[in-house]
Amino acid sequence: MSTITEVEFPASEFALRDTLAAVPGLELDVLRVAAHGEDRVLPHMWARADSFDALDDALREDSSVDGFDVLDDLGEERLYRMNWVGQIRVIVHVLLEEDATVLDAHGEDDHWRFRILFPDRDALSATYDFAREAGLSFDVRNIYELDQTRHGFFGLTEEQHETLLMALDAGYYEVPRKATADDLADGLDISHQAVSERLRRGHGSLVKNALAIGTDEPDE
């Protein structure tokens, strides 16, 4: 069964190490990444920085970068296409050797955090062993498996998935609301408390697994 894993790398062991160190407050969000052979990775990413001139200068000096283009400039954010050629052994292994997919990634300060879809647990284990043998960090922060339906992609249970979709269809999220929690409870033949718990936990799973890749989660 496919497995989604959130992992963290020290910035010192990954691409853009020099850029992250040289540009205070820099935040990077990877949208897509593909490996072109064993020595080249082509990511697209959004960047937020106080000075994009300083960022561009740092990228030109970064030994892990062999060229970049600015695809879009929104003022506070820029969309970059880069060519990574250094400190990419782990991600090349993930993409080429394990046939995994990088769903998203976030880099800032002293770390990178990736969310990776592995085809199975064996591929995850092989990547962990590869990183350790190479003397690299591979800090697994969270693991969850996909079930046979799409709702598992964001860590939702079947009940949470059903309740969230019913809430959407019934107009629960519209302003003003067209349905209440009591209406949902009647439709699902469960208690108001059960509906509230499903919504709360479902919203939490969606925020954690769809939006919070670049945040530090509190210890449970």
Side-chain angles (χ1 to χ4, degrees):
M1 182 178 294
S2 297
T3 299
I4 293 179
T5 305
E6 295 175 11
V7 300
E8 188 168 296
F9 312 137
S12 60
E13 298 180 4
F14 197 66
L16 300 187
R17 173 186 65 187
D18 297 338
T19 297
L20 284 167
V23 184
L26 174 62
E27 292 188 48
L28 301 166
D29 287 304
V30 175
L31 298 180
R32 62 180 297 272
V33 57
H36 284 232
E38 297 181 357
D39 60 353
R40 195 170 298 270
V41 170
L42 302 179
H44 288 65
M45 66 181 67
W46 286 103
R48 293 178 293 278
D50 294 335
S51 171
F52 286 110
D53 288 339
L55 172 57
D56 291 349
D57 288 342
L59 289 172
R60 294 186 186 99
E61 297 297 323
D62 196 312
S63 61
S64 68
V65 178
D66 182 22
F68 65 90
D69 297 301
V70 177
L71 302 182
D72 205 351
D73 189 339
L74 301 183
E76 295 182 353
E77 290 185 304
R78 278 185 177 179
L79 178 62
Y80 285 82
R81 178 175 57 207
M82 298 186 188
N83 194 347
W84 289 351
V85 294
Q87 299 172 287
I88 55 174
R89 284 179 292 172
V90 170
I91 207 65
V92 167
H93 176 87
V94 163
L95 296 171
L96 297 184
E97 300 299 325
E98 304 303 338
D99 198 26
T101 301
V102 174
L103 300 177
D104 48 34
H106 181 87
E108 64 176 312
D109 297 330
D110 60 354
H111 70 275
W112 278 92
R113 186 172 295 179
F114 277 74
R115 184 162 52 203
I116 302 170
L117 174 62
F118 288 97
D120 49 45
R121 286 288 187 114
D122 289 342
L124 168 58
S125 296
T127 301
Y128 180 87
D129 292 341
F130 173 86
R132 293 304 185 186
E133 290 172 4
L136 300 172
S137 302
F138 194 80
D139 183 13
V140 177
R141 302 293 298 269
N142 191 26
I143 300 174
Y144 55 97
E145 294 182 346
L146 300 184
D147 58 19
Q148 299 305 312
T149 59
R150 290 186 301 168
H151 69 258
F153 187 87
F154 292 114
L156 297 172
T157 67
E158 185 174 356
E159 291 78 11
Q160 291 164 4
H161 182 256
E162 177 187 22
T163 304
L164 290 172
L165 285 184
M166 175 176 282
L168 180 65
D169 291 341
Y172 178 81
Y173 296 112
E174 295 184 21
V175 179
R177 281 181 172 167
K178 295 182 178 180
T180 66
D182 286 331
D183 295 329
L184 300 179
D186 290 341
L188 293 166
D189 195 24
I190 59 177
S191 68
H192 179 282
Q193 180 178 353
V195 166
S196 296
E197 182 174 336
R198 287 186 189 182
L199 291 173
R200 179 173 58 83
R201 292 184 180 277
H203 294 155
S205 291
L206 286 175
V207 170
K208 177 181 178 182
N209 295 313
L211 303 178
I213 185 66
T215 63
D216 292 324
E217 299 168 15
D219 294 333
E220 295 182 358

